[in-house]
Amino acid sequence: MTATDPALTALAQSWHALSVLHGRIEAHVERVLQAGHGLSVREYSLLDVLSRQHDGEGGHLQMKQVADAVVLSQSATTRLVTRLEERGLLERYLCPTDRRGIYTNVTRDGFALLDQARPSNNAALREALDQAARESELAPFVRAVEAAQSAALTS
């Protein structure tokens, strides 16, 4: 294969279209969340991931798991946790069985803000996908996202 191989060119074009779709969705959702709730997309994602934790075995996520879930480095995730903790939306505490471990929980205020922001996030996501679906280059990726959503709902 060479750099001008049609298969590689098509792959690169597809990757570019997927990147464009992601960027547009994230920018639209960011504007909506910032304007309506004072949250960034990353802050919302972190609150959402942490809100799904539960007590019991495997219920609390380690910082590496949280970082992977919000697609950030561990250091960037720690800084994000610190910012949300300073706003009273998260709290940290020592793991009761391993004093080296630190858990992060969403506070009552954090849950309240997340509950207020979730409909805005969902509506902004739907708006961005609907807009992208009207573009032939992006429409296949929108269909793939919607198919993944359908599969998740039926499993």
Side-chain angles (χ1 to χ4, degrees):
M1 287 191 191
T2 65
T4 57
D5 184 314
L8 290 178
T9 301
L11 180 63
Q13 289 171 339
S14 293
W15 175 247
H16 175 74
L18 182 59
S19 296
V20 167
L21 177 63
H22 177 268
R24 286 188 190 176
I25 290 170
E26 189 168 65
H28 182 68
V29 173
E30 178 86 22
R31 284 189 299 273
V32 168
L33 288 175
Q34 279 290 348
H37 308 283
L39 286 172
S40 71
V41 168
R42 297 288 189 213
E43 291 168 338
Y44 175 87
S45 294
L46 180 63
L47 287 171
D48 185 55
V49 165
L50 292 174
S51 75
R52 298 174 197 280
Q53 297 183 122
H54 58 83
D55 290 329
E57 191 171 327
H60 279 85
L61 301 173
Q62 297 173 349
M63 195 57 73
K64 180 177 181 351
Q65 294 169 303
V66 174
D68 289 346
V70 296
V71 194
L72 289 173
S73 68
Q74 281 186 260
S75 61
T77 302
T78 299
R79 288 190 301 274
L80 186 57
V81 166
T82 299
R83 282 198 311 271
L84 292 176
E85 186 179 35
E86 289 170 354
R87 290 175 58 187
L89 303 174
L90 296 177
E91 61 187 1
R92 292 185 231 204
Y93 67 95
L94 291 176
C95 171
T97 59
D98 179 0
R99 293 303 214 185
R100 295 170 296 170
I102 298 175
Y103 289 146
T104 305
N105 276 340
V106 180
T107 64
R108 185 171 295 158
D109 287 346
F111 275 113
L113 182 58
L114 184 60
D115 287 344
Q116 292 168 4
R118 188 168 274 124
S120 300
N121 178 77
N122 294 345
L125 178 57
R126 182 74 263 162
E127 290 166 5
L129 286 169
D130 288 347
Q131 177 73 30
R134 293 191 281 275
E135 297 181 39
S136 61
E137 180 183 56
L138 303 179
F141 297 103
V142 172
R143 287 192 298 274
V145 168
E146 290 169 340
Q149 175 198 15
S150 294
L153 291 173
T154 59
S155 62

